[in-house]
Coordinates of all heavy atoms in Angstrom, one line a residue:
G280 N 7.0 8.4 1.1 CA 8.3 8.6 0.6 C 9.4 8.5 1.7 O 10.4 7.8 1.5
L284 N 12.2 5.1 2.3 CA 13.7 5.3 2.5 C 14.1 4.8 3.8 O 15.2 4.2 3.9 CB 14.0 6.8 2.3 CG 15.4 7.2 2.6 CD1 16.5 6.4 1.9 CD2 15.7 8.7 2.3
E287 N 15.5 1.3 4.3 CA 16.8 0.9 3.8 C 17.8 0.8 4.9 O 18.9 0.1 4.8 CB 17.3 2.0 2.8 CG 16.5 2.1 1.5 CD 16.8 0.9 0.6 OE1 17.7 0.1 0.8 OE2 15.9 0.8 -0.3
F288 N 17.6 1.4 6.1 CA 18.6 1.4 7.2 C 18.4 0.3 8.2 O 19.2 0.3 9.2 CB 18.6 2.8 7.8 CG 19.0 3.9 6.9 CD1 18.0 4.7 6.2 CD2 20.3 4.1 6.6 CE1 18.4 5.7 5.3 CE2 20.7 5.1 5.7 CZ 19.8 5.9 5.1
V294 N 17.0 8.7 10.9 CA 15.9 9.7 10.8 C 15.9 10.2 9.3 O 17.0 10.6 8.8 CB 16.1 10.8 11.8 CG1 15.0 11.9 11.5 CG2 16.0 10.3 13.2
V295 N 14.7 10.2 8.7 CA 14.6 10.7 7.4 C 13.6 11.9 7.4 O 12.5 11.8 7.9 CB 14.0 9.6 6.4 CG1 13.7 10.2 5.1 CG2 14.9 8.4 6.3
A296 N 14.1 13.0 7.0 CA 13.3 14.2 6.8 C 12.9 14.3 5.4 O 13.7 14.2 4.5 CB 14.0 15.4 7.3
C297 N 11.6 14.4 5.1 CA 11.1 14.4 3.7 C 10.2 15.6 3.5 O 9.5 16.1 4.3 CB 10.2 13.1 3.6 SG 10.4 12.3 2.0
A300 N 7.6 14.2 -0.8 CA 8.0 12.9 -1.1 C 9.5 12.7 -1.5 O 9.9 11.6 -1.9 CB 7.1 12.3 -2.2
N301 N 10.3 13.7 -1.3 CA 11.7 13.7 -1.6 C 12.5 13.9 -0.2 O 12.1 14.7 0.6 CB 12.2 14.7 -2.5 CG 12.2 14.3 -4.0 OD1 12.7 13.2 -4.3 ND2 11.6 15.0 -4.8
P302 N 13.6 13.1 0.0 CA 14.3 13.4 1.2 C 15.0 14.8 1.1 O 15.5 15.2 0.1 CB 15.4 12.3 1.2 CG 15.5 11.9 -0.2 CD 14.1 12.1 -0.8
C303 N 15.0 15.5 2.3 CA 15.7 16.7 2.3 C 16.8 16.7 3.4 O 17.7 17.6 3.4 CB 14.7 17.9 2.6 SG 13.8 17.8 4.1
G304 N 16.8 15.7 4.2 CA 17.8 15.5 5.2 C 17.7 14.1 5.8 O 16.6 13.6 6.2
V305 N 18.8 13.4 5.8 CA 18.9 12.0 6.3 C 20.1 11.8 7.2 O 21.2 12.3 6.9 CB 18.9 10.9 5.2 CG1 18.9 9.5 5.7 CG2 17.8 11.2 4.2
G306 N 19.8 11.2 8.4 CA 20.9 11.0 9.3 C 20.9 9.7 10.0 O 19.8 9.1 10.2
T307 N 22.0 9.1 10.3 CA 22.1 7.9 11.1 C 23.1 8.2 12.2 O 23.9 9.2 12.2 CB 22.7 6.7 10.3 OG1 24.0 7.0 9.8 CG2 21.7 6.3 9.2
R317 N 21.7 15.0 12.9 CA 22.4 14.9 11.6 C 21.4 15.2 10.5 O 21.7 15.9 9.5 CB 23.1 13.6 11.5 CG 24.3 13.4 12.3 CD 25.0 12.1 12.1 NE 26.3 12.0 12.8 CZ 27.1 10.9 12.8 NH1 26.6 9.8 12.3 NH2 28.2 11.0 13.4
A318 N 20.2 14.6 10.6 CA 19.2 14.8 9.5 C 18.8 16.3 9.5 O 18.7 16.9 8.4 CB 18.0 14.0 9.8
S321 N 21.4 18.6 8.0 CA 21.6 18.4 6.6 C 21.0 19.6 5.8 O 21.5 20.0 4.7 CB 21.0 17.1 6.1 OG 21.7 16.0 6.7
D322 N 19.8 20.0 6.2 CA 19.1 21.1 5.5 C 18.0 21.7 6.4 O 16.8 21.4 6.3 CB 18.4 20.5 4.2 CG 17.9 21.6 3.3 OD1 17.8 22.8 3.8 OD2 17.5 21.3 2.1
L407 N 20.1 -3.0 -4.0 CA 20.9 -1.8 -3.8 C 22.0 -1.7 -4.8 O 22.1 -0.7 -5.5 CB 21.4 -1.8 -2.3 CG 21.9 -0.5 -1.8 CD1 20.8 0.6 -1.8 CD2 22.5 -0.6 -0.4
E450 N 35.1 6.3 3.2 CA 34.4 6.7 1.9 C 33.4 5.7 1.5 O 32.3 6.0 1.0 CB 35.4 7.0 0.8 CG 36.2 8.3 1.0 CD 37.3 8.4 0.0 OE1 37.9 7.4 -0.5 OE2 37.7 9.6 -0.3
I451 N 33.8 4.4 1.7 CA 32.8 3.3 1.3 C 31.6 3.4 2.2 O 30.5 3.3 1.6 CB 33.5 1.9 1.5 CG1 34.6 1.7 0.5 CG2 32.5 0.8 1.4 CD1 35.5 0.5 0.7
E452 N 31.7 3.6 3.5 CA 30.6 3.8 4.3 C 29.7 4.9 3.9 O 28.5 4.9 3.9 CB 31.0 3.9 5.8 CG 31.6 2.6 6.4 CD 32.1 2.9 7.8 OE1 32.0 4.0 8.3 OE2 32.6 1.9 8.4
A453 N 30.3 6.0 3.6 CA 29.6 7.2 3.1 C 28.9 7.0 1.8 O 27.8 7.4 1.5 CB 30.5 8.4 3.0
M454 N 29.6 6.3 0.9 CA 29.0 6.0 -0.4 C 27.8 5.1 -0.3 O 26.7 5.3 -1.0 CB 30.0 5.3 -1.4 CG 31.0 6.3 -2.0 SD 32.0 5.6 -3.3 CE 33.1 4.5 -2.4
L455 N 27.8 4.1 0.5 CA 26.7 3.2 0.7 C 25.5 4.0 1.3 O 24.4 3.8 1.0 CB 27.1 2.0 1.6 CG 27.8 0.8 0.9 CD1 28.3 -0.2 1.9 CD2 26.8 0.2 -0.1
F456 N 25.8 4.8 2.3 CA 24.8 5.7 2.9 C 24.1 6.6 1.8 O 22.9 6.6 1.7 CB 25.4 6.5 4.0 CG 24.5 7.6 4.5 CD1 23.6 7.3 5.5 CD2 24.5 8.9 4.1 CE1 22.7 8.2 6.0 CE2 23.7 9.9 4.5 CZ 22.7 9.5 5.5
A457 N 24.9 7.2 1.0 CA 24.4 8.2 0.0 C 23.6 7.4 -1.1 O 22.6 7.8 -1.6 CB 25.5 9.0 -0.6
W458 N 24.1 6.1 -1.4 CA 23.4 5.3 -2.4 C 22.0 4.9 -1.9 O 21.1 4.8 -2.7 CB 24.3 4.1 -2.6 CG 23.9 3.3 -3.8 CD1 23.5 2.0 -3.9 CD2 23.9 3.7 -5.2 NE1 23.3 1.6 -5.2 CE2 23.5 2.6 -6.0 CE3 24.2 4.9 -5.8 CZ2 23.4 2.7 -7.4 CZ3 24.1 5.0 -7.2 CH2 23.6 3.9 -8.0
K459 N 21.9 4.6 -0.7 CA 20.5 4.3 -0.1 C 19.6 5.5 -0.3 O 18.4 5.4 -0.6 CB 20.6 3.9 1.3 CG 21.3 2.6 1.6 CD 21.4 2.3 3.1 CE 22.1 1.0 3.3 NZ 22.3 0.7 4.8
V460 N 20.1 6.7 -0.1 CA 19.3 7.9 -0.1 C 18.9 8.2 -1.6 O 17.8 8.5 -1.9 CB 20.0 9.1 0.5 CG1 19.1 10.4 0.4 CG2 20.3 8.8 2.0
V461 N 19.9 8.1 -2.5 CA 19.7 8.5 -3.9 C 18.7 7.6 -4.5 O 17.9 7.9 -5.4 CB 21.0 8.6 -4.7 CG1 21.4 7.2 -5.2 CG2 20.9 9.5 -5.9
K462 N 18.6 6.3 -4.0 CA 17.6 5.3 -4.5 C 16.2 5.8 -4.4 O 15.3 5.5 -5.1 CB 17.9 4.0 -3.8 CG 16.9 2.9 -4.2 CD 17.1 1.7 -3.4 CE 16.0 0.7 -3.5 NZ 16.3 -0.6 -2.7
H463 N 16.0 6.6 -3.3 CA 14.6 7.1 -3.0 C 14.4 8.6 -3.3 O 13.5 9.2 -2.8 CB 14.3 6.8 -1.6 CG 14.2 5.3 -1.3 ND1 13.1 4.5 -1.4 CD2 15.2 4.4 -0.9 CE1 13.4 3.3 -1.2 NE2 14.6 3.2 -0.9
T464 N 15.3 9.1 -4.2 CA 15.2 10.5 -4.5 C 14.8 10.6 -6.0 O 15.2 9.8 -6.8 CB 16.5 11.2 -4.3 OG1 16.9 11.0 -3.0 CG2 16.4 12.7 -4.6
K465 N 13.8 11.5 -6.3 CA 13.3 11.6 -7.7 C 14.4 11.9 -8.7 O 15.2 12.8 -8.5 CB 12.2 12.7 -7.8 CG 11.0 12.4 -6.9 CD 10.2 11.2 -7.4 CE 9.0 10.9 -6.5 NZ 8.0 11.9 -6.4
S466 N 14.4 11.2 -9.8 CA 15.3 11.4 -10.9 C 15.1 12.7 -11.7 O 13.9 13.1 -11.7 CB 15.3 10.2 -11.9 OG 15.5 9.0 -11.2
N467 N 16.2 13.3 -12.2 CA 17.6 12.9 -12.0 C 18.0 13.3 -10.6 O 17.6 14.3 -10.1 CB 18.4 13.7 -13.0 CG 18.4 13.1 -14.4 OD1 18.4 11.9 -14.6 ND2 18.3 14.0 -15.4
A468 N 18.8 12.4 -10.0 CA 19.0 12.6 -8.6 C 20.5 12.5 -8.3 O 21.2 11.6 -8.8 CB 18.3 11.5 -7.7
I469 N 21.0 13.4 -7.4 CA 22.4 13.4 -6.9 C 22.3 13.6 -5.4 O 21.6 14.5 -4.9 CB 23.2 14.5 -7.5 CG1 23.4 14.3 -9.1 CG2 24.6 14.6 -6.8 CD1 24.3 13.2 -9.4
V470 N 23.0 12.8 -4.7 CA 23.1 12.9 -3.2 C 24.5 13.0 -2.8 O 25.4 12.2 -3.2 CB 22.4 11.7 -2.5 CG1 22.7 11.8 -1.0 CG2 20.9 11.8 -2.7
I471 N 24.8 14.0 -2.0 CA 26.1 14.2 -1.4 C 26.0 13.9 0.1 O 25.1 14.4 0.8 CB 26.6 15.6 -1.7 CG1 26.7 15.9 -3.1 CG2 28.0 15.9 -1.1 CD1 27.0 17.4 -3.5
G472 N 27.0 13.2 0.6 CA 26.9 12.9 2.1 C 28.3 12.5 2.7 O 29.2 12.2 1.9
K473 N 28.3 12.5 4.0 CA 29.5 12.0 4.7 C 29.1 11.8 6.2 O 28.0 12.3 6.6 CB 30.6 13.0 4.6 CG 30.3 14.4 5.2 CD 31.4 15.4 5.1 CE 31.1 16.8 5.6 NZ 32.2 17.7 5.3
E474 N 29.8 11.0 6.9 CA 29.7 10.8 8.3 C 28.2 10.5 8.7 O 27.7 11.1 9.7 CB 30.2 12.0 9.1 CG 31.7 12.3 8.8 CD 32.1 13.6 9.3 OE1 31.2 14.4 9.9 OE2 33.3 14.0 9.2
G475 N 27.5 9.6 8.0 CA 26.2 9.3 8.4 C 25.1 10.3 8.2 O 24.1 10.4 8.9
R476 N 25.3 11.2 7.2 CA 24.4 12.3 7.0 C 24.5 12.8 5.6 O 25.5 12.7 5.0 CB 24.6 13.5 8.0 CG 25.9 14.2 7.9 CD 26.1 15.2 9.0 NE 27.4 15.8 9.0 CZ 27.7 17.0 8.5 NH1 26.7 17.7 7.9 NH2 28.9 17.4 8.5
T477 N 23.4 13.3 5.1 CA 23.4 14.0 3.8 C 23.9 15.4 4.0 O 23.6 16.0 5.0 CB 22.0 14.0 3.1 OG1 21.1 14.5 4.1 CG2 21.5 12.6 2.7
T478 N 24.6 15.9 3.0 CA 25.0 17.3 3.1 C 24.4 18.1 1.9 O 24.3 19.3 2.0 CB 26.6 17.4 3.0 OG1 27.1 16.6 1.8 CG2 27.2 16.8 4.2
G479 N 24.0 17.4 0.9 CA 23.3 18.1 -0.2 C 22.5 17.1 -1.1 O 23.0 16.0 -1.3
I480 N 21.4 17.5 -1.5 CA 20.5 16.7 -2.4 C 20.0 17.5 -3.6 O 19.5 18.6 -3.4 CB 19.3 16.1 -1.6 CG1 19.8 15.3 -0.4 CG2 18.5 15.2 -2.5 CD1 18.7 14.8 0.5
G481 N 20.2 16.9 -4.8 CA 19.6 17.5 -6.0 C 18.7 16.5 -6.6 O 19.0 15.3 -6.8
M482 N 17.4 16.9 -6.9 CA 16.5 15.9 -7.4 C 15.5 16.5 -8.4 O 15.3 17.7 -8.5 CB 15.6 15.4 -6.2 CG 14.5 16.2 -5.7 SD 15.0 17.7 -4.8 CE 15.5 16.9 -3.2
G483 N 15.0 15.6 -9.2 CA 13.9 16.0 -10.2 C 14.4 16.9 -11.3 O 13.5 17.5 -11.9
Q484 N 15.7 16.9 -11.6 CA 16.1 17.8 -12.6 C 16.1 17.1 -14.0 O 16.1 15.9 -14.1 CB 17.6 18.3 -12.4 CG 17.7 19.1 -11.1 CD 16.8 20.3 -11.0 OE1 16.8 21.1 -12.0 NE2 16.1 20.5 -9.9
N486 N 18.3 17.4 -16.3 CA 19.6 16.8 -16.7 C 20.5 16.7 -15.4 O 20.3 17.3 -14.4 CB 20.3 17.7 -17.8 CG 20.7 19.1 -17.3 OD1 21.4 19.2 -16.4 ND2 20.1 20.1 -18.0
R487 N 21.5 15.8 -15.6 CA 22.2 15.4 -14.4 C 23.1 16.5 -13.8 O 23.3 16.6 -12.6 CB 23.0 14.1 -14.7 CG 23.5 13.4 -13.5 CD 23.7 11.9 -13.8 NE 22.4 11.3 -14.2 CZ 21.5 10.9 -13.3 NH1 21.7 11.1 -12.0 NH2 20.4 10.4 -13.8
I488 N 23.7 17.3 -14.7 CA 24.6 18.3 -14.3 C 23.8 19.3 -13.4 O 24.4 19.8 -12.4 CB 25.3 19.0 -15.4 CG1 26.4 20.0 -14.9 CG2 24.3 19.7 -16.4 CD1 27.5 19.4 -14.1
W489 N 22.6 19.6 -13.7 CA 21.8 20.5 -12.9 C 21.6 19.9 -11.5 O 21.6 20.6 -10.5 CB 20.5 20.9 -13.5 CG 20.6 21.8 -14.7 CD1 21.7 22.4 -15.1 CD2 19.5 22.2 -15.6 NE1 21.4 23.2 -16.3 CE2 20.1 23.1 -16.5 CE3 18.2 21.9 -15.6 CZ2 19.3 23.6 -17.5 CZ3 17.4 22.5 -16.6 CH2 18.0 23.3 -17.6
A490 N 21.3 18.6 -11.5 CA 21.1 17.9 -10.2 C 22.3 18.0 -9.3 O 22.3 18.2 -8.1 CB 20.6 16.5 -10.4
A491 N 23.5 17.8 -10.0 CA 24.8 17.8 -9.3 C 25.0 19.2 -8.7 O 25.4 19.4 -7.6 CB 25.9 17.4 -10.2
Q492 N 24.8 20.2 -9.6 CA 25.0 21.6 -9.2 C 24.1 22.0 -8.0 O 24.5 22.7 -7.1 CB 24.8 22.5 -10.4 CG 26.0 22.4 -11.4 CD 25.7 23.1 -12.7 OE1 24.5 23.4 -13.0 NE2 26.7 23.4 -13.5
Q493 N 22.8 21.5 -8.1 CA 21.9 21.8 -7.0 C 22.3 21.2 -5.7 O 22.3 21.9 -4.7 CB 20.5 21.3 -7.4 CG 19.4 21.5 -6.4 CD 18.1 20.8 -6.7 OE1 18.1 19.6 -6.9 NE2 17.0 21.6 -6.8
A494 N 22.8 19.9 -5.7 CA 23.2 19.3 -4.5 C 24.4 20.0 -3.9 O 24.5 20.2 -2.7 CB 23.5 17.8 -4.8
I495 N 25.4 20.3 -4.8 CA 26.6 21.0 -4.3 C 26.3 22.4 -3.8 O 26.8 22.8 -2.7 CB 27.6 21.1 -5.5 CG1 28.2 19.7 -5.8 CG2 28.8 22.0 -5.1 CD1 28.9 19.6 -7.1
A496 N 25.4 23.1 -4.4 CA 25.0 24.4 -3.9 C 24.3 24.3 -2.5 O 24.6 25.1 -1.6 CB 24.0 25.1 -4.9
H497 N 23.5 23.3 -2.3 CA 22.9 23.1 -1.0 C 23.9 22.7 0.1 O 23.8 23.1 1.2 CB 21.8 21.9 -1.1 CG 20.6 22.3 -1.8 ND1 19.5 21.5 -2.0 CD2 20.2 23.5 -2.2 CE1 18.5 22.1 -2.6 NE2 18.9 23.4 -2.8
A498 N 24.9 21.9 -0.4 CA 25.9 21.5 0.6 C 26.9 22.6 1.0 O 27.4 22.7 2.1 CB 26.7 20.3 0.0
G499 N 27.2 23.5 0.1 CA 28.1 24.6 0.3 C 29.5 24.0 0.7 O 30.0 23.1 0.1
E501 N 30.2 22.1 3.1 CA 30.1 20.7 3.5 C 30.4 19.8 2.4 O 30.6 18.6 2.6 CB 28.7 20.4 4.1 CG 28.4 21.1 5.4 CD 29.0 20.3 6.6 OE1 29.7 19.4 6.3 OE2 28.7 20.7 7.7
S502 N 30.4 20.3 1.1 CA 30.8 19.4 0.0 C 32.2 18.9 0.2 O 32.5 17.7 -0.2 CB 30.7 20.2 -1.3 OG 29.4 20.5 -1.6
K503 N 33.1 19.7 0.8 CA 34.5 19.2 0.9 C 34.6 18.0 1.8 O 34.1 18.0 3.0 CB 35.3 20.4 1.5 CG 35.5 21.6 0.6 CD 36.3 22.7 1.3 CE 36.3 23.9 0.3 NZ 37.0 25.0 0.9
G504 N 35.1 16.9 1.3 CA 35.3 15.7 2.0 C 34.0 14.8 1.9 O 34.0 13.7 2.5
S505 N 33.0 15.3 1.2 CA 31.8 14.4 1.0 C 32.0 13.5 -0.1 O 33.0 13.6 -0.9 CB 30.6 15.3 0.7 OG 30.2 16.0 1.9
V506 N 31.1 12.5 -0.3 CA 31.0 11.6 -1.4 C 29.8 12.0 -2.2 O 28.8 12.6 -1.7 CB 31.1 10.2 -1.0 CG1 32.3 9.8 -0.1 CG2 29.8 9.8 -0.3
M507 N 29.8 11.5 -3.5 CA 28.6 11.8 -4.3 C 28.0 10.5 -4.8 O 28.8 9.6 -5.2 CB 29.0 12.7 -5.5 CG 27.8 12.9 -6.5 SD 28.2 13.9 -7.9 CE 28.2 15.5 -7.2
A508 N 26.7 10.4 -4.8 CA 26.0 9.2 -5.4 C 25.1 9.8 -6.5 O 24.4 10.8 -6.3 CB 25.1 8.5 -4.3
S509 N 25.1 9.1 -7.6 CA 24.2 9.4 -8.8 C 23.3 8.2 -9.1 O 23.8 7.1 -9.2 CB 25.1 9.8 -10.0 OG 24.3 10.0 -11.1
D510 N 22.0 8.4 -9.2 CA 21.1 7.3 -9.4 C 21.3 6.6 -10.8 O 20.9 5.5 -11.0 CB 19.6 7.8 -9.3 CG 19.2 8.8 -10.3 OD1 20.0 9.5 -10.9 OD2 18.0 8.8 -10.6
A511 N 21.9 7.3 -11.8 CA 22.2 6.7 -13.1 C 23.6 7.2 -13.5 O 24.2 8.0 -12.8 CB 21.2 7.1 -14.1
F512 N 24.1 6.7 -14.6 CA 25.5 7.0 -15.0 C 25.6 8.5 -15.4 O 24.7 9.2 -15.7 CB 25.9 6.1 -16.2 CG 25.1 6.2 -17.5 CD1 25.0 7.4 -18.2 CD2 24.5 5.1 -18.0 CE1 24.3 7.5 -19.4 CE2 23.7 5.1 -19.1 CZ 23.6 6.3 -19.8
F513 N 26.9 8.9 -15.4 CA 27.3 10.2 -15.9 C 27.4 10.2 -17.4 O 28.2 9.5 -17.9 CB 28.6 10.7 -15.3 CG 28.6 11.0 -13.9 CD1 29.8 11.1 -13.2 CD2 27.4 11.2 -13.2 CE1 29.8 11.3 -11.8 CE2 27.4 11.5 -11.8 CZ 28.7 11.6 -11.1
C518 N 29.9 16.3 -14.5 CA 29.6 16.1 -13.1 C 30.9 15.9 -12.3 O 31.0 16.4 -11.1 CB 28.7 14.9 -12.9 SG 27.0 15.2 -13.6
V519 N 31.8 15.2 -12.8 CA 33.1 15.0 -12.1 C 33.8 16.3 -12.0 O 34.4 16.6 -10.9 CB 34.0 14.0 -12.9 CG1 35.4 13.9 -12.2 CG2 33.3 12.6 -13.0
E521 N 32.5 19.2 -11.6 CA 31.8 19.9 -10.5 C 32.3 19.3 -9.2 O 32.5 20.1 -8.2 CB 30.3 19.8 -10.6 CG 29.7 20.5 -11.8 CD 29.9 22.1 -11.7 OE1 29.9 22.6 -10.6 OE2 30.0 22.7 -12.8
C522 N 32.5 18.0 -9.1 CA 33.0 17.4 -7.9 C 34.4 17.9 -7.5 O 34.7 18.1 -6.3 CB 33.0 15.9 -8.0 SG 31.4 15.1 -8.1
A525 N 34.2 21.2 -6.0 CA 33.5 21.2 -4.7 C 34.3 20.5 -3.6 O 34.0 20.6 -2.4 CB 32.1 20.6 -4.8
G526 N 35.3 19.8 -4.0 CA 36.1 19.1 -3.0 C 35.6 17.7 -2.6 O 35.9 17.2 -1.5
I527 N 34.7 17.1 -3.5 CA 34.2 15.8 -3.2 C 35.3 14.8 -3.5 O 36.0 14.9 -4.5 CB 33.0 15.6 -4.1 CG1 31.8 16.4 -3.6 CG2 32.5 14.1 -4.2 CD1 30.6 16.6 -4.5
T528 N 35.4 13.7 -2.7 CA 36.5 12.8 -2.7 C 36.2 11.5 -3.3 O 37.1 10.7 -3.7 CB 37.1 12.6 -1.3 OG1 36.1 11.9 -0.5 CG2 37.5 13.9 -0.7
A529 N 34.9 11.1 -3.4 CA 34.6 9.8 -4.0 C 33.2 9.8 -4.6 O 32.4 10.6 -4.2 CB 34.7 8.7 -2.9
I530 N 33.0 8.9 -5.6 CA 31.8 8.9 -6.4 C 31.3 7.5 -6.5 O 32.1 6.5 -6.8 CB 31.9 9.5 -7.8 CG1 32.3 11.0 -7.7 CG2 30.6 9.3 -8.6 CD1 32.8 11.6 -9.0
I531 N 30.0 7.2 -6.3 CA 29.3 5.9 -6.5 C 28.3 6.1 -7.6 O 27.5 7.1 -7.5 CB 28.8 5.3 -5.2 CG1 28.1 4.0 -5.5 CG2 27.8 6.3 -4.5 CD1 27.7 3.2 -4.3
Q532 N 28.3 5.3 -8.6 CA 27.3 5.4 -9.7 C 27.2 4.0 -10.4 O 28.0 3.1 -10.2 CB 27.7 6.5 -10.7 CG 29.0 6.3 -11.3 CD 29.0 6.6 -12.8 OE1 28.1 6.1 -13.5 NE2 30.0 7.4 -13.3
P533 N 26.1 3.8 -11.2 CA 25.9 2.5 -11.8 C 27.0 2.2 -12.9 O 27.4 1.1 -13.1 CB 24.5 2.6 -12.5 CG 23.9 3.8 -11.9 CD 25.0 4.7 -11.5
I551 N 40.2 11.4 -7.3 CA 38.8 11.0 -6.8 C 38.6 9.5 -7.0 O 38.9 9.0 -8.1 CB 37.7 11.8 -7.5 CG1 37.8 13.3 -7.1 CG2 36.3 11.2 -7.1 CD1 36.9 14.2 -7.8
A552 N 38.2 8.8 -6.0 CA 37.8 7.4 -6.2 C 36.4 7.2 -6.8 O 35.5 8.0 -6.4 CB 37.9 6.7 -4.8
V554 N 33.4 4.2 -7.9 CA 33.0 2.8 -8.0 C 31.7 2.7 -8.8 O 30.8 3.5 -8.7 CB 32.7 2.3 -6.5 CG1 32.2 0.9 -6.5 CG2 34.0 2.4 -5.7
H560 N 19.0 3.4 -10.2 CA 17.8 3.5 -9.4 C 16.9 4.7 -9.8 O 16.7 5.7 -9.0 CB 18.2 3.7 -7.9 CG 18.8 2.4 -7.3 ND1 18.1 1.2 -7.2 CD2 20.0 2.2 -6.9 CE1 18.8 0.3 -6.7 NE2 20.0 0.8 -6.5
F561 N 16.5 4.7 -11.1 CA 15.5 5.7 -11.5 C 14.3 5.7 -10.6 O 13.8 4.6 -10.3 CB 15.1 5.5 -12.9 CG 16.1 5.9 -14.0 CD1 16.2 5.3 -15.2 CD2 16.9 7.0 -13.8 CE1 17.1 5.7 -16.2 CE2 17.8 7.4 -14.7 CZ 17.9 6.8 -15.9
K562 N 13.8 6.9 -10.2 CA 12.6 7.0 -9.5 C 11.8 8.2 -10.1 O 12.2 9.3 -10.0 CB 12.8 7.2 -8.0 CG 11.6 7.2 -7.1 CD 12.0 7.3 -5.6 CE 10.7 7.4 -4.8 NZ 10.0 6.1 -4.8

Side-chain angles (χ1 to χ4, degrees):
L284 172 51
E287 295 288 345
F288 296 99
V294 174
V295 174
C297 219
N301 270 309
C303 58
V305 183
T307 60
R317 285 179 170 178
S321 294
D322 190 346
L407 193 62
E450 286 172 333
I451 291 172
E452 290 177 357
M454 282 193 288
L455 278 171
F456 171 83
W458 191 240
K459 291 175 181 177
V460 179
V461 83
K462 175 182 171 182
H463 294 272
T464 305
K465 297 291 176 64
S466 300
N467 284 316
I469 295 287
V470 170
I471 302 172
K473 61 182 176 182
E474 300 169 359
R476 63 191 174 97
T477 53
T478 51
I480 301 175
M482 79 287 285
Q484 300 301 313
N486 63 62
R487 197 153 300 279
I488 186 62
W489 287 355
Q492 290 168 341
Q493 182 187 52
I495 290 168
H497 284 176
E501 290 280 6
S502 292
K503 293 177 181 177
S505 288
V506 304
M507 174 180 283
S509 174
D510 65 335
F512 60 62
F513 289 163
C518 288
V519 176
E521 292 294 330
C522 289
I527 288 165
T528 64
I530 298 170
I531 180 172
Q532 59 138 312
I551 292 173
V554 177
H560 294 296
F561 281 149
K562 186 177 178 67

